[in-house]
Amino acid sequence: MAPLKAKIFIPLILLIVLLFLPDEATSQRRRRGMIASNTAGTDSLQNGRDSLKADTVRIDSLPVVKKKQPLDAPVVYESNDSTVFVQGGNATLYGSGKVNYQKIELTAEVISMNLDSSTVHAYGIKDSAGVEKGKPVFKDGDTAYDTETIRYNFKSKKAGITDIVTQQGEGYVTGNKAKKGANDEIFMEDGRYTTCDHHDHPHFYMQLTRAKVRPKKNVVTGPAYLVVEDVPLPIAVPFFFFPFSSSYSSGFIMPTYMDDSSRGFGLAEGGYYFAISDLMDLKMTADIYTKGSWRLSGLTNYNRRYKYSGTLQADYQVTKTGDKGMSDYTVAKDFKVVWNHRQDAKASPNSTFSASVNFSTSSYERTNVNNLYNSQLLTQNTKTSSISYSRSFPDMGLTLSGTSNIAQTMRDSSIAVTLPDLNITLSRLFPFKRKKAAGEERWYEKISLSYTGRLTNSIRTKDDRLFKAGISEWENAMNHNVPVSATFTLFKYLQVSPSVNYTERWYTRKINQEYNMDTRRLESVANDSINGFYRVSNYSASLSMSTKVYGMYKPLFMKKKEIQIRHVFTPQVSLSGAPGFSKYWEEYTDYNGATQYYSPFSGQPFGVPSRQGSGTVNFSMANNFEMKYKDKNDSIKKVSLIDDLSANMSYNMAAKERPWSDLSLNLRLKLSKSYTFNMNAQFATYAYTFDKSGTVVTSNRTEWSYGRFGRFQGYGSSFNYTLNNDTWKKWFGPKDEKEANKKKPSGDDDDDSEEEDGEATTTKKVEKAKSDSDGYQVFKMPWSLSLSYSFNIREDKNKPINRHSMRYPYSYTHNINANGNVKISNNWSFSFNSGYDFQAKEITQTSCTVSRDLHCFNLSASLSPFGRWKYYNVTIRANASILQDLKYEQRSQTQSNIQWY
């Protein structure tokens, strides 16, 4: 009986307690149960509410009305300090609070939430020093907003914001008062748009009276005006539209305004950009001027990963200068094609294709407006273009290659085109080598042969006649070359290499000529070109012998250094011979009655064999000197004293006159790791004399017979060197600094690397500014100066000869060029390019540029005071590409006679 009474009595007491509980406590529990927290207590609270509700239903036997959920997803919140719940459904997060709802993320120092109205209010606080911290950062998907305060409604997705900052594209949009709509658009008053990353106090901005921002899409504003350094400028627009796009899309390219004295007013670089696919694009732009000049350009980039990539540009322009109907009126039609193609090395290991084309008419660079302020393009004299393809067959040892070449000379508008130039190469093979070798290699197994074939089709003409030239003006020929050679070792030290060479040329025409007694020269006759198939062949043989002799020398001085000098002497003697091939030559009698010869195949691409036979002995000797010694650390140092000192001379046994060749001397010195000095000089063997008419000719008597060394004919060399802070410090810096640079490991830099859990992490090392002995900061000014000097000495045969010494006076041609740059400060830089021609006694084309980094703007001034083209150009422009038209430019006019004012 007692247990039964207990079972009835306990539920009765619980029922009475529940009836006397206030409604506020029950609703508070329900509200807390609607909030999903990242703490473990949330689940237990929810479970307790469910169990309590179940008990209530069971006791009261009354249905419970479920409250409609106001949100579509749970709200997750957290804070570093504390979370305080108060009556009325309010909760406040203190200390780096964070709230997440769907794709919405809000962080702030203080976040206050009203759970009934589904609103949240966030703001920062000021510390003891008065510095505000923990300002709200509102993130909607990938778009973030920095704010002063924000009040956001989770259900309506609308917000009221003060002092909003958001980055859109390359710029920042800020506003004092802003409202966020349900579709993520932002309406603001008294806003700003700037590309300066100092958005709190920008160097310039567009003041927006009213604006609508669609994140990652566009900004549309009402009246706006420009403000620079907090100074409003009288530059205003009734509205403007800034598009933003993070995706690859097509669109219009706005033109820039141009003013040129010879072309008039114009719009340049306007057009349309086509986003064709992920593999390629196309940019079409055009220029147009009021005096009739215009230009059309197309540029495409293509890239197929692991296959190939490149760019293709084609320009056509019509330039009209002067006034129509006047004598100075000219019309120039020019075009330019630039193509660069690169093949990935992994695409095809046995075949390659590449292109480097830069072709234009001779006057294009001089008539293009953008090039008139670039001295390098204006002074460019030659252009080369090439397209090549090769295919190899490793199993056969065969390689096929084809090349098309174009060489332009802008000075006289001449052009040389080779289309195509085909090559067939068969690698060296040993026809007598045994398939199953046994024992030592036999002498005939060392005999090898190879084959090289070349087919060429070329023309040399003016660029305006290139497409007008007929087939008969093109020169085409084919050359076959078969060398047979071997290498043997005699007496262990002597290398002997015999070889036989056969060459055959295929020509499609020959040109007959006859001697004109009146003009005293060979001239072409009527119907001189005879088309057909002609074989022109020759053969030759040679034998070369060489060895190496080593010598060591220990000087008697500085014995502690243990100096050793090694001398390597390499003599070589070679004999070569070939019969005469007079059948390819024709004879005629000149004005003096002497018999002369000419070949109908002269001037062909692969030449013609010699009419007379030859038997030549060539002598050469090379010397190399090196030194080894111990330094003060007892380590061995190796120094090259003379890298190469060689001489070459030959004797023609078949020549009836002047069998000795000129003497050639070559000297090469390694002065440093980065510079090698080369000198090549020629010394003539035979002396000058006078013929019967008093003309200076080369005699059959050698200079040696007069007791003189060979006549010095000339020398040419060049010198290049670059000076900068490091080289200057190395030469003239303090000794302790030099030693520190030597001891510093090559891998040292300004960053420290630390290993953590097997991974390398880079920690930036912050150093204090260095100071000198007086305590002032060390002044650093990075600079670089590149100098190039060329020097040539040649006999000047245009001047009279010295009858006593029988020597012509020498002419000297030398010039010096210099280019460099100086970074005066972190924001100022200066660069220049100039030179001096000592023969013409004038300064070459000179240009210098001063630039100033204005953070979000750039100021540059270019000047060319010397040379054929003189110009100046001053530009200040915004760095952001979206504001490319926000610029001021002042430059000289583009006519040839520049008026400075």
Side-chain angles (χ1 to χ4, degrees), residues 835-874:
Y836 188 80
D837 189 339
F838 291 92
Q839 186 178 15
K841 296 181 179 179
E842 63 179 14
I843 299 175
T844 60
Q845 187 70 42
T846 300
S847 64
C848 53
T849 301
V850 179
S851 63
R852 162 72 172 171
D853 184 6
L854 299 173
H855 188 256
C856 45
F857 273 81
N858 182 271
L859 170 66
S860 64
S862 301
L863 174 67
S864 180
F866 308 109
R868 181 178 177 181
W869 291 278
K870 302 178 179 66
Y871 61 84
Y872 69 88
N873 187 4
V874 180

Short mmCIF file of all heavy atoms in Angstrom, two decimals, residues 835-874:
data_model
loop_
_atom_site.label_atom_id
_atom_site.label_comp_id
_atom_site.label_asym_id
_atom_site.label_seq_id
_atom_site.Cartn_x
_atom_site.Cartn_y
_atom_site.Cartn_z
N GLY A 835 75.13 57.53 -76.40
CA GLY A 835 76.40 57.07 -76.94
C GLY A 835 77.08 58.16 -77.72
O GLY A 835 76.55 59.28 -77.89
N TYR A 836 78.28 57.85 -78.22
CA TYR A 836 79.04 58.82 -79.00
C TYR A 836 79.77 58.11 -80.12
O TYR A 836 80.43 57.08 -79.89
CB TYR A 836 80.05 59.57 -78.12
CG TYR A 836 80.74 60.71 -78.83
CD1 TYR A 836 80.10 61.94 -78.98
CD2 TYR A 836 82.01 60.56 -79.36
CE1 TYR A 836 80.71 62.99 -79.64
CE2 TYR A 836 82.64 61.61 -80.02
CZ TYR A 836 81.99 62.82 -80.16
OH TYR A 836 82.61 63.84 -80.82
N ASP A 837 79.60 58.63 -81.34
CA ASP A 837 80.28 58.10 -82.52
C ASP A 837 81.49 58.99 -82.79
O ASP A 837 81.36 60.14 -83.20
CB ASP A 837 79.33 58.11 -83.72
CG ASP A 837 79.91 57.37 -84.92
OD1 ASP A 837 81.15 57.20 -84.98
OD2 ASP A 837 79.13 56.94 -85.79
N PHE A 838 82.69 58.43 -82.54
CA PHE A 838 83.91 59.23 -82.69
C PHE A 838 84.22 59.53 -84.14
O PHE A 838 84.88 60.53 -84.44
CB PHE A 838 85.09 58.49 -82.05
CG PHE A 838 85.00 58.40 -80.55
CD1 PHE A 838 84.40 57.31 -79.96
CD2 PHE A 838 85.49 59.41 -79.74
CE1 PHE A 838 84.30 57.21 -78.57
CE2 PHE A 838 85.40 59.33 -78.36
CZ PHE A 838 84.79 58.22 -77.77
N GLN A 839 83.79 58.68 -85.05
CA GLN A 839 84.07 58.93 -86.45
C GLN A 839 83.21 60.07 -86.99
O GLN A 839 83.69 60.97 -87.68
CB GLN A 839 83.82 57.67 -87.27
CG GLN A 839 84.23 57.79 -88.73
CD GLN A 839 84.03 56.49 -89.49
OE1 GLN A 839 83.34 55.59 -89.00
NE2 GLN A 839 84.62 56.38 -90.66
N ALA A 840 81.91 60.04 -86.66
CA ALA A 840 81.03 61.12 -87.09
C ALA A 840 81.12 62.34 -86.18
O ALA A 840 80.58 63.40 -86.51
CB ALA A 840 79.58 60.61 -87.13
N LYS A 841 81.77 62.16 -85.01
CA LYS A 841 81.92 63.23 -84.04
C LYS A 841 80.57 63.82 -83.63
O LYS A 841 80.34 65.04 -83.68
CB LYS A 841 82.84 64.33 -84.58
CG LYS A 841 84.26 63.87 -84.82
CD LYS A 841 85.14 65.00 -85.32
CE LYS A 841 86.58 64.52 -85.56
NZ LYS A 841 87.45 65.60 -86.06
N GLU A 842 79.67 62.94 -83.24
CA GLU A 842 78.36 63.39 -82.81
C GLU A 842 77.79 62.40 -81.80
O GLU A 842 78.18 61.23 -81.75
CB GLU A 842 77.40 63.52 -83.98
CG GLU A 842 77.12 62.22 -84.70
CD GLU A 842 76.14 62.39 -85.85
OE1 GLU A 842 75.88 63.54 -86.26
OE2 GLU A 842 75.65 61.36 -86.34
N ILE A 843 76.88 62.90 -80.99
CA ILE A 843 76.19 62.07 -80.01
C ILE A 843 75.11 61.26 -80.72
O ILE A 843 74.36 61.79 -81.54
CB ILE A 843 75.58 62.92 -78.89
CG1 ILE A 843 76.70 63.70 -78.16
CG2 ILE A 843 74.82 62.06 -77.90
CD1 ILE A 843 76.17 64.66 -77.12
N THR A 844 75.05 59.98 -80.43
CA THR A 844 74.04 59.13 -81.05
C THR A 844 72.67 59.39 -80.43
O THR A 844 72.53 60.21 -79.52
CB THR A 844 74.44 57.66 -80.89
OG1 THR A 844 74.55 57.34 -79.50
CG2 THR A 844 75.77 57.38 -81.56
N GLN A 845 71.67 58.69 -80.95
CA GLN A 845 70.32 58.86 -80.45
C GLN A 845 70.27 58.68 -78.93
O GLN A 845 70.68 57.67 -78.40
CB GLN A 845 69.39 57.85 -81.12
CG GLN A 845 67.92 58.05 -80.80
CD GLN A 845 67.36 59.30 -81.45
OE1 GLN A 845 67.65 59.59 -82.59
NE2 GLN A 845 66.56 60.05 -80.71
N THR A 846 69.78 59.70 -78.26
CA THR A 846 69.79 59.74 -76.80
C THR A 846 68.37 59.86 -76.27
O THR A 846 67.56 60.62 -76.81
CB THR A 846 70.63 60.92 -76.30
OG1 THR A 846 71.97 60.78 -76.78
CG2 THR A 846 70.64 60.98 -74.78
N SER A 847 68.09 59.13 -75.24
CA SER A 847 66.79 59.23 -74.58
C SER A 847 66.97 59.05 -73.09
O SER A 847 67.84 58.30 -72.64
CB SER A 847 65.82 58.17 -75.11
OG SER A 847 66.28 56.87 -74.80
N CYS A 848 66.18 59.76 -72.32
CA CYS A 848 66.22 59.63 -70.86
C CYS A 848 64.80 59.75 -70.32
O CYS A 848 63.96 60.46 -70.89
CB CYS A 848 67.14 60.69 -70.23
SG CYS A 848 66.78 62.38 -70.72
N THR A 849 64.55 59.04 -69.24
CA THR A 849 63.21 58.98 -68.67
C THR A 849 63.30 59.14 -67.16
O THR A 849 64.13 58.50 -66.51
CB THR A 849 62.54 57.64 -69.00
OG1 THR A 849 62.46 57.50 -70.42
CG2 THR A 849 61.14 57.59 -68.42
N VAL A 850 62.46 60.01 -66.62
CA VAL A 850 62.33 60.20 -65.18
C VAL A 850 60.92 59.78 -64.80
O VAL A 850 59.95 60.21 -65.45
CB VAL A 850 62.58 61.65 -64.77
CG1 VAL A 850 62.41 61.82 -63.27
CG2 VAL A 850 63.97 62.09 -65.18
N SER A 851 60.81 58.93 -63.80
CA SER A 851 59.48 58.47 -63.37
C SER A 851 59.34 58.63 -61.87
O SER A 851 60.32 58.52 -61.12
CB SER A 851 59.25 57.02 -63.78
OG SER A 851 60.18 56.17 -63.13
N ARG A 852 58.14 58.89 -61.45
CA ARG A 852 57.82 59.09 -60.04
C ARG A 852 56.60 58.24 -59.69
O ARG A 852 55.57 58.33 -60.35
CB ARG A 852 57.54 60.57 -59.77
CG ARG A 852 56.78 60.88 -58.49
CD ARG A 852 57.61 60.69 -57.25
NE ARG A 852 56.91 61.17 -56.06
CZ ARG A 852 57.34 60.97 -54.81
NH1 ARG A 852 58.47 60.32 -54.59
NH2 ARG A 852 56.66 61.43 -53.79
N ASP A 853 56.76 57.38 -58.70
CA ASP A 853 55.66 56.56 -58.23
C ASP A 853 54.83 57.36 -57.23
O ASP A 853 55.29 57.69 -56.14
CB ASP A 853 56.20 55.28 -57.59
CG ASP A 853 55.09 54.34 -57.17
OD1 ASP A 853 53.92 54.63 -57.48
OD2 ASP A 853 55.39 53.31 -56.53
N LEU A 854 53.61 57.70 -57.62
CA LEU A 854 52.71 58.47 -56.76
C LEU A 854 51.69 57.56 -56.09
O LEU A 854 50.54 57.94 -55.91
CB LEU A 854 52.00 59.54 -57.60
CG LEU A 854 52.92 60.57 -58.27
CD1 LEU A 854 52.12 61.47 -59.20
CD2 LEU A 854 53.64 61.40 -57.23
N HIS A 855 52.11 56.36 -55.79
CA HIS A 855 51.30 55.35 -55.12
C HIS A 855 50.22 54.83 -56.05
O HIS A 855 50.36 53.76 -56.61
CB HIS A 855 50.71 55.87 -53.81
CG HIS A 855 50.03 54.80 -53.02
ND1 HIS A 855 48.66 54.70 -52.96
CD2 HIS A 855 50.52 53.77 -52.30
CE1 HIS A 855 48.33 53.65 -52.23
NE2 HIS A 855 49.45 53.07 -51.81
N CYS A 856 49.13 55.55 -56.21
CA CYS A 856 48.07 55.10 -57.10
C CYS A 856 48.14 55.78 -58.46
O CYS A 856 47.35 55.47 -59.34
CB CYS A 856 46.70 55.32 -56.46
SG CYS A 856 46.52 56.94 -55.71
N PHE A 857 49.09 56.71 -58.63
CA PHE A 857 49.35 57.36 -59.90
C PHE A 857 50.82 57.17 -60.26
O PHE A 857 51.64 56.82 -59.41
CB PHE A 857 49.03 58.87 -59.84
CG PHE A 857 47.61 59.20 -60.13
CD1 PHE A 857 46.64 59.07 -59.16
CD2 PHE A 857 47.24 59.65 -61.39
CE1 PHE A 857 45.33 59.38 -59.42
CE2 PHE A 857 45.92 59.97 -61.66
CZ PHE A 857 44.96 59.83 -60.68
N ASN A 858 51.13 57.40 -61.53
CA ASN A 858 52.52 57.33 -61.98
C ASN A 858 52.80 58.51 -62.88
O ASN A 858 52.02 58.81 -63.79
CB ASN A 858 52.78 56.02 -62.73
CG ASN A 858 54.23 55.90 -63.17
OD1 ASN A 858 54.60 56.34 -64.25
ND2 ASN A 858 55.04 55.30 -62.32
N LEU A 859 53.91 59.18 -62.61
CA LEU A 859 54.35 60.32 -63.41
C LEU A 859 55.62 59.94 -64.13
O LEU A 859 56.56 59.45 -63.52
CB LEU A 859 54.60 61.54 -62.51
CG LEU A 859 55.29 62.75 -63.16
CD1 LEU A 859 54.39 63.37 -64.22
CD2 LEU A 859 55.66 63.78 -62.10
N SER A 860 55.66 60.15 -65.46
CA SER A 860 56.86 59.85 -66.24
C SER A 860 57.08 60.96 -67.25
O SER A 860 56.13 61.52 -67.81
CB SER A 860 56.73 58.50 -66.96
OG SER A 860 55.68 58.54 -67.90
N ALA A 861 58.35 61.26 -67.46
CA ALA A 861 58.75 62.28 -68.43
C ALA A 861 59.90 61.73 -69.25
O ALA A 861 60.94 61.35 -68.70
CB ALA A 861 59.15 63.57 -67.71
N SER A 862 59.73 61.65 -70.58
CA SER A 862 60.76 61.15 -71.49
C SER A 862 61.24 62.29 -72.37
O SER A 862 60.44 63.12 -72.82
CB SER A 862 60.21 60.00 -72.35
OG SER A 862 59.77 58.94 -71.55
N LEU A 863 62.54 62.29 -72.62
CA LEU A 863 63.15 63.36 -73.40
C LEU A 863 64.23 62.78 -74.28
O LEU A 863 65.03 61.95 -73.84
CB LEU A 863 63.74 64.44 -72.47
CG LEU A 863 64.53 65.56 -73.13
CD1 LEU A 863 63.61 66.43 -73.98
CD2 LEU A 863 65.24 66.40 -72.08
N SER A 864 64.25 63.19 -75.54
CA SER A 864 65.32 62.81 -76.47
C SER A 864 65.88 64.09 -77.08
O SER A 864 65.38 64.60 -78.09
CB SER A 864 64.78 61.89 -77.57
OG SER A 864 65.81 61.52 -78.46
N PRO A 865 66.92 64.66 -76.46
CA PRO A 865 67.43 65.95 -76.93
C PRO A 865 68.43 65.84 -78.07
O PRO A 865 68.70 66.84 -78.74
CB PRO A 865 68.10 66.52 -75.68
CG PRO A 865 68.54 65.31 -74.91
CD PRO A 865 67.55 64.23 -75.22
N PHE A 866 69.03 64.63 -78.28
CA PHE A 866 70.04 64.48 -79.31
C PHE A 866 69.64 63.34 -80.24
O PHE A 866 68.91 62.43 -79.86
CB PHE A 866 71.41 64.17 -78.70
CG PHE A 866 71.83 65.14 -77.63
CD1 PHE A 866 71.87 64.75 -76.31
CD2 PHE A 866 72.16 66.44 -77.95
CE1 PHE A 866 72.24 65.61 -75.31
CE2 PHE A 866 72.53 67.33 -76.96
CZ PHE A 866 72.58 66.93 -75.63
N GLY A 867 70.18 63.40 -81.45
CA GLY A 867 69.93 62.35 -82.41
C GLY A 867 69.02 62.83 -83.53
O GLY A 867 68.63 64.00 -83.62
N ARG A 868 68.67 61.89 -84.41
CA ARG A 868 67.86 62.24 -85.57
C ARG A 868 66.45 62.64 -85.17
O ARG A 868 65.86 63.54 -85.73
CB ARG A 868 67.84 61.06 -86.53
CG ARG A 868 67.04 61.30 -87.79
CD ARG A 868 67.10 60.11 -88.73
NE ARG A 868 66.28 60.31 -89.91
CZ ARG A 868 66.14 59.42 -90.87
NH1 ARG A 868 66.77 58.25 -90.78
NH2 ARG A 868 65.38 59.66 -91.91
N TRP A 869 65.89 61.92 -84.18
CA TRP A 869 64.53 62.21 -83.72
C TRP A 869 64.59 62.84 -82.33
O TRP A 869 65.15 62.26 -81.42
CB TRP A 869 63.69 60.94 -83.69
CG TRP A 869 63.38 60.41 -85.04
CD1 TRP A 869 62.39 60.81 -85.90
CD2 TRP A 869 64.09 59.36 -85.72
NE1 TRP A 869 62.43 60.09 -87.05
CE2 TRP A 869 63.45 59.19 -86.99
CE3 TRP A 869 65.17 58.54 -85.42
CZ2 TRP A 869 63.88 58.24 -87.91
CZ3 TRP A 869 65.60 57.61 -86.33
CH2 TRP A 869 64.96 57.47 -87.56
N LYS A 870 64.04 64.02 -82.22
CA LYS A 870 63.99 64.72 -80.94
C LYS A 870 62.54 64.82 -80.49
O LYS A 870 61.67 65.18 -81.28
CB LYS A 870 64.60 66.12 -81.06
CG LYS A 870 66.05 66.15 -81.53
CD LYS A 870 66.54 67.57 -81.67
CE LYS A 870 68.00 67.63 -82.12
NZ LYS A 870 68.16 67.10 -83.49
N TYR A 871 62.29 64.49 -79.24
CA TYR A 871 60.92 64.49 -78.75
C TYR A 871 60.92 64.63 -77.24
O TYR A 871 61.93 64.45 -76.57
CB TYR A 871 60.19 63.22 -79.16
CG TYR A 871 60.80 61.95 -78.62
CD1 TYR A 871 60.51 61.49 -77.33
CD2 TYR A 871 61.68 61.20 -79.40
CE1 TYR A 871 61.08 60.33 -76.84
CE2 TYR A 871 62.25 60.03 -78.91
CZ TYR A 871 61.94 59.61 -77.64
OH TYR A 871 62.51 58.45 -77.15
N TYR A 872 59.75 64.95 -76.71
CA TYR A 872 59.52 64.91 -75.27
C TYR A 872 58.11 64.38 -75.04
O TYR A 872 57.22 64.49 -75.89
CB TYR A 872 59.71 66.28 -74.61
CG TYR A 872 58.65 67.30 -74.97
CD1 TYR A 872 57.46 67.39 -74.24
CD2 TYR A 872 58.85 68.17 -76.04
CE1 TYR A 872 56.50 68.33 -74.56
CE2 TYR A 872 57.88 69.10 -76.38
CZ TYR A 872 56.71 69.18 -75.64
OH TYR A 872 55.76 70.10 -75.96
N ASN A 873 57.89 63.81 -73.88
CA ASN A 873 56.60 63.22 -73.56
C ASN A 873 56.45 63.21 -72.03
O ASN A 873 57.27 62.62 -71.34
CB ASN A 873 56.51 61.79 -74.11
CG ASN A 873 55.11 61.21 -73.95
OD1 ASN A 873 54.21 61.88 -73.50
ND2 ASN A 873 54.95 59.95 -74.32
N VAL A 874 55.42 63.88 -71.53
CA VAL A 874 55.14 63.94 -70.09
C VAL A 874 53.75 63.35 -69.87
O VAL A 874 52.78 63.78 -70.49
CB VAL A 874 55.20 65.38 -69.55
CG1 VAL A 874 54.91 65.40 -68.06
CG2 VAL A 874 56.57 65.98 -69.84
#
